[in-house]
Amino acid sequence: MDKLLFGDNQFFGVNHMSEEKARAQSIKFQDLDAIISVLDAAYDEGVRTFMCTTHDRVGEIVEHMRQQPERYAEQVFYPCMPYAHKYANAMTEDGMVGAIKRFLPDGGLLDAAFKGGMSVAKKDIEGITTLLIDAEMKMFAGMKTPVIFLQNVVVDLLLGLGFDEAFRIFADHVRSKYNAEPGFITMNLPMLLERLAKVGVKNPVVCSNINKVGFRMSGGGVDAYEEALRTHNFDAIAMSVFASGAIPPREAIEWVSKVPNLKSIVFGASSRANIRNTKELVDEYFGA
Amino acid sequence: MVGLGKMGLSHYSMINAHPNAEVVAVCDSNAYLLGVMNRYTGVQTFSDLSKMIAAAELDAVIISTPSVLHASMVRTALEAGLHVFCEKPFSLDPAVSRELTESAQAKGLVTQVGYHYRFVGAFKEVKRLLDLNAIGTVSHVIAEAYGPVVLKPKGGTWRSKKSEGGGSLYDYAAHPIDLINWYLGVPSEARGSVLGHVFSKETDDEVFSTLLWPDSRTAHLSVSWSDPSERKMSTKITVFGSNGRIHADRQECQTYISDASSAPEGYGEGWNARYTTDLTDEVYFYVRGEEYSAQLDAFVKRIEASEVEGQNSFASATGADIVLDMILRDSQRDYADASTAPSAPAVAERQGLFRRRKGV
């Protein structure tokens, strides 16, 4: 795993600091060319893993790269599924069952499952889950996807519900069908690590907020997170290292470089200059 | 847990993760969903609220059902002596809201309605600044909410059915209205209210209204749930005062102060920006925004402390129901005959009923 991974929030109008800034970014990245040119800059600066949501536009980006295998020979994707708003909006329109149906290649499976009423068969749930994963993975066919993530909204929802078995189903399917490591994004790192251990998901990749000011580090803040990093076996990725711009870059990277057992950092940037600056800081503090 | 829709499931997740709370039973009309939950989490499941209350040992219920069901379910829960958290809007009839509020108060039960924006750091900052008189005498508020709920003519859930308490008035406008009530108190009148249609035939997709207070303060409400440009619901508040202006959304609070001689600590002349990263307290568990966890945490803490009055109690949420009703009636008012004084409620009611009959 590379020390530095490239995220995609900036391309899709996600900004935790400002709605104005989010809209400005949406306008800037309206054209696919604008996104591609930033990704090209990242690639050329040596940041070659794109950690991306399974957004329709990511499908277009992947297709662009698929057409030029030589240009993007070392490009790696870490897909993060699902694109949650797609499901949330579908749920508002069609209800939960309707939403799941909409994204399943074969609605018949769910209909069959429904006829069972209360007598839920575990294989039905496994079947539906794995079909949903496959549907999300379609856009990455033929590309390198060594880690596949479940998005935080889903991870944390399931975590609260106590639906821990779903993590095992996800991990097993990702490992067996895609020969990839299962990844989990969470805002509740300590609690998730306990539960993953409980259902036997070994050595997972886990991405969570890790930053100097403790921004969105739920379940105990910096101390609890450092304790979790010291005591659990997992590959840790830090996100929101700059806390959406609340921490100056050098200070943020210097601090995070001292966090124990951190494997990697995911960050977003909209320009070559920012990518280069971040890469240089990471090389300086983590060692090139 | 009563109702396992979009809000119900997320409440379930957050309250179940709370260190001092445990979900022991769930109630929903979808047998398959109940089966899945029981199979994978072991929770007791019911398809009938009264049976659940009788069988499970409960301290409190969280009700996240279609709005039209809130009142009767809240009544059932209160009669059983349970503390109640209910999704917004509280009830569709202010008289019923008052009755339920009194009933809960008489029994000393803790009540709360899901107006989560009062737990958003930036909107809390607006309240703090207004209480400190930071922008002087307030003259006007613009309250907006836009989002992508209904973007095509056909929709299948209760949210698009007027009879179920659907529509952008109850689903979206309730939130900015509740913030307005928090900041300025409940207005005395609504004028020029329009419940507009973009896609929905049965119910409203847009709400526009002017709200008035006896001391001549005013507010404009502008709401649409058929805005494709937003990724999710976006709520904005702008407050104009004699000493400046505040603009806030979920992420930041921007304040302009003319004369800073008595400005709050850390605030100076001109623009002041405060961001969510500074204004947000860490929560015990995070699923989809700190405010959702924080409101449930507040509910648990109020039950533990037997605090009957508190943020978003039934009494407070009744204020939103009053304004929702005010806007609904005003939208049905016959402005062709508007030379008379502003409508007395009785007149508005008669016209409202007449209009509805005609529409049937």
Side-chain angles (χ1 to χ4, degrees):
Chain A
M1 188 184 295
D2 287 342
K3 202 87 236 170
L4 202 51
L5 315 171
F6 202 57
D8 71 348
N9 272 349
Q10 69 281 4
F11 297 142
F12 303 119
V14 182
N15 186 288
H16 301 300
M17 197 92 156
S18 155
E19 290 191 1
E20 273 172 47
K21 202 169 169 204
R23 179 176 299 174
Q25 285 176 333
S26 283
I27 293 168
K28 178 172 176 179
F29 293 115
Q30 183 103 326
D31 292 327
L32 196 64
D33 290 349
I35 297 178
I36 298 289
S37 96
V38 174
L39 284 170
D40 284 351
Y43 188 94
D44 296 339
E45 294 293 331
V47 181
R48 295 179 181 179
T49 300
F50 185 34
M51 185 163 161
C52 52
T53 320
T54 50
H55 192 289
D56 289 344
R57 301 212 65 196
V58 166
E60 297 172 36
I61 294 167
V62 177
E63 188 50 37
H64 170 87
M65 293 185 169
R66 193 180 278 124
Q67 300 301 326
Q68 302 177 60
E70 282 168 28
R71 170 74 176 91
Y72 301 106
E74 290 176 43
Q75 184 67 50
V76 169
F77 295 93
Y78 285 2
C80 306
M81 64 178 64
Y83 176 57
H85 287 290
K86 187 170 75 180
Y87 282 88
N89 293 338
M91 246 172 105
T92 315
E93 280 174 19
D94 295 340
M96 176 149 48
V97 175
I100 292 174
K101 246 178 175 167
R102 203 195 279 190
F103 298 110
L104 277 180
D106 173 17
L109 183 76
L110 198 64
D111 287 336
F114 254 74
K115 288 195 189 102
M118 282 288 285
S119 60
V120 175
K122 285 214 171 188
K123 66 172 169 43
D124 292 344
I125 294 296
E126 297 226 15
I128 291 167
T129 309
T130 53
L131 278 175
L132 286 173
I133 296 168
D134 294 347
E136 298 276 322
M137 281 302 290
K138 239 180 212 160
M139 66 173 77
F140 297 98
M143 309 304 273
K144 289 179 210 130
T145 57
V147 183
I148 300 171
F149 282 94
L150 199 56
Q151 287 279 20
N152 57 290
V153 170
V154 176
V155 169
D156 292 331
L157 184 77
L158 294 168
L159 183 63
L161 291 173
F163 214 124
D164 305 340
E165 193 65 14
F167 301 138
R168 189 202 47 78
I169 296 171
F170 177 78
D172 287 353
H173 188 63
V174 156
R175 280 190 168 128
S176 65
K177 175 142 188 189
Y178 297 95
N179 195 25
E181 288 303 309
F184 300 89
I185 308 177
T186 182
M187 299 292 176
N188 308 284
L189 180 70
M191 192 193 283
L192 178 68
L193 292 173
E194 297 288 339
R195 299 285 189 82
L196 289 177
K198 218 178 76 187
V199 292
V201 177
K202 293 203 172 67
N203 301 318
V205 179
V206 184
C207 176
S208 66
N209 275 19
I210 297 179
N211 56 68
K212 190 179 180 177
V213 296
F215 176 58
R216 265 181 208 157
M217 295 171 67
S218 299
V222 171
D223 291 345
Y225 276 51
E226 291 201 331
E227 172 70 15
L229 281 154
R230 270 191 294 269
T231 54
H232 286 270
N233 282 327
F234 70 109
D235 285 349
I237 299 175
M239 61 178 179
S240 271
V241 167
F242 307 112
S244 288
I247 315 167
R250 177 169 289 276
E251 190 183 331
I253 299 287
E254 184 184 4
W255 182 86
V256 84
S257 73
K258 292 171 187 155
V259 168
N261 299 323
L262 193 63
K263 280 274 175 353
S264 188
I265 292 170
V266 59
F267 79 111
S270 304
S271 71
R272 181 183 289 263
N274 276 341
I275 295 167
R276 181 176 293 167
N277 288 344
T278 306
K279 178 83 165 57
E280 282 171 1
L281 284 170
V282 167
D283 288 346
E284 181 182 337
Y285 286 101
F286 285 85
Chain B
M1 299 299 312
V2 190
L4 293 182
K6 193 166 96 171
M7 292 310 297
L9 271 177
S10 88
H11 286 323
Y12 182 172
S13 173
M14 286 181 274
I15 197 71
N16 197 41
H18 194 286
N20 297 352
E22 185 195 353
V23 174
V24 293
V26 298
C27 181
D28 195 86
S29 57
N30 185 329
Y32 186 73
L33 187 57
L34 291 177
V36 172
M37 292 314 298
N38 174 262
R39 180 89 194 237
Y40 283 90
T41 72
V43 72
Q44 300 177 68
T45 60
F46 297 87
S47 54
D48 181 286
L49 175 61
S50 298
K51 282 183 187 152
M52 178 174 85
I53 290 174
E57 278 186 39
L58 307 176
D59 294 316
V61 288
I62 295 180
I63 298 172
S64 320
T65 52
S67 307
V68 72
L69 299 174
H70 290 175
S72 68
M73 290 182 157
V74 166
R75 189 175 290 116
T76 302
L78 293 177
E79 278 164 7
L82 302 177
H83 304 294
V84 179
F85 181 101
C86 179
E87 252 315 314
K88 49 69 35 184
F90 173 27
S91 95
L92 304 180
D93 178 350
V96 173
S97 303
R98 285 195 196 94
E99 171 225 315
L100 294 171
T101 301
E102 283 164 18
S103 165
Q105 282 168 343
K107 289 171 183 284
L109 294 168
V110 172
T111 62
Q112 198 171 317
V113 175
Y115 286 111
H116 54 84
Y117 281 107
R118 292 201 191 192
F119 290 87
V120 169
F123 293 122
K124 277 158 73 178
E125 184 67 0
V126 175
K127 173 69 173 161
R128 193 181 75 89
L129 291 169
L130 293 176
D131 287 348
L132 291 168
N133 203 30
I135 58 163
T137 305
V138 171
S139 56
H140 184 62
V141 171
I142 303 173
E144 302 164 274
Y146 308 112
V149 178
V150 175
L151 298 177
K152 57 179 189 185
K154 280 177 84 183
T157 78
W158 66 270
R159 282 171 210 274
S160 57
K161 296 193 180 80
K162 190 119 214 150
S163 58
E164 302 275 296
S168 63
L169 177 68
Y170 294 120
D171 204 73
Y172 257 46
H175 282 296
I177 286 169
D178 178 67
L179 285 175
I180 291 172
N181 284 352
W182 194 28
Y183 299 147
L184 302 191
V186 178
S188 52
E189 199 197 340
R191 286 190 204 166
S193 305
V194 176
L195 302 186
H197 301 269
V198 181
F199 297 110
S200 303
K201 286 192 188 72
E202 265 195 66
T203 188
D204 47 276
D205 299 314
E206 300 174 324
V207 182
F208 309 108
S209 183
T210 304
L211 303 171
L212 296 92
W213 283 257
D215 57 6
S216 84
R217 287 176 301 170
T218 57
H220 275 154
L221 180 71
S222 175
V223 170
S224 170
W225 74 0
S226 296
D227 178 353
S229 75
E230 298 288 351
R231 199 167 54 94
K232 55 182 179 179
M233 186 185 191
S234 165
T235 299
K236 300 172 174 56
I237 291 283
T238 310
V239 188
F240 296 86
S242 56
N243 190 40
R245 166 181 157 164
I246 306 172
H247 178 79
D249 57 35
R250 195 179 167 279
Q251 314 284 15
E252 60 186 322
C253 177
Q254 303 166 334
T255 308
Y256 186 92
I257 296 179
S258 306
D259 174 1
S261 55
S262 55
E265 200 187 326
Y267 278 79
E269 195 182 302
W271 282 109
N272 299 264
R274 294 289 179 278
Y275 297 98
T276 178
T277 38
D278 302 325
L279 297 169
T280 307
D281 296 325
E282 196 204 313
V283 290
Y284 66 95
F285 184 74
Y286 182 104
V287 174
R288 52 180 304 209
E290 284 85 359
E291 62 271 30
Y292 294 97
S293 310
Q295 69 173 354
L296 291 175
D297 187 44
F299 181 56
V300 171
K301 289 199 167 111
R302 280 178 54 210
I303 292 172
E304 287 171 337
S306 302
E307 278 176 31
V308 172
E309 266 318 306
Q311 192 67 281
N312 296 342
S313 67
F314 281 179
S316 158
T318 297
D321 293 343
I322 290 169
V323 179
L324 290 167
D325 186 59
M326 208 183 265
I327 291 173
L328 186 63
R329 286 163 189 271
D330 180 52
S331 73
Q332 295 161 341
R333 194 162 130 187
D334 187 358
Y335 274 84
D337 191 27
S339 57
T340 50
S343 66
V347 175
E349 186 170 26
R350 227 173 29 238
Q351 287 177 339
L353 286 170
F354 178 63
R355 275 290 170 98
R356 273 204 292 279
R357 281 207 193 108
K358 215 163 86 175
V360 167

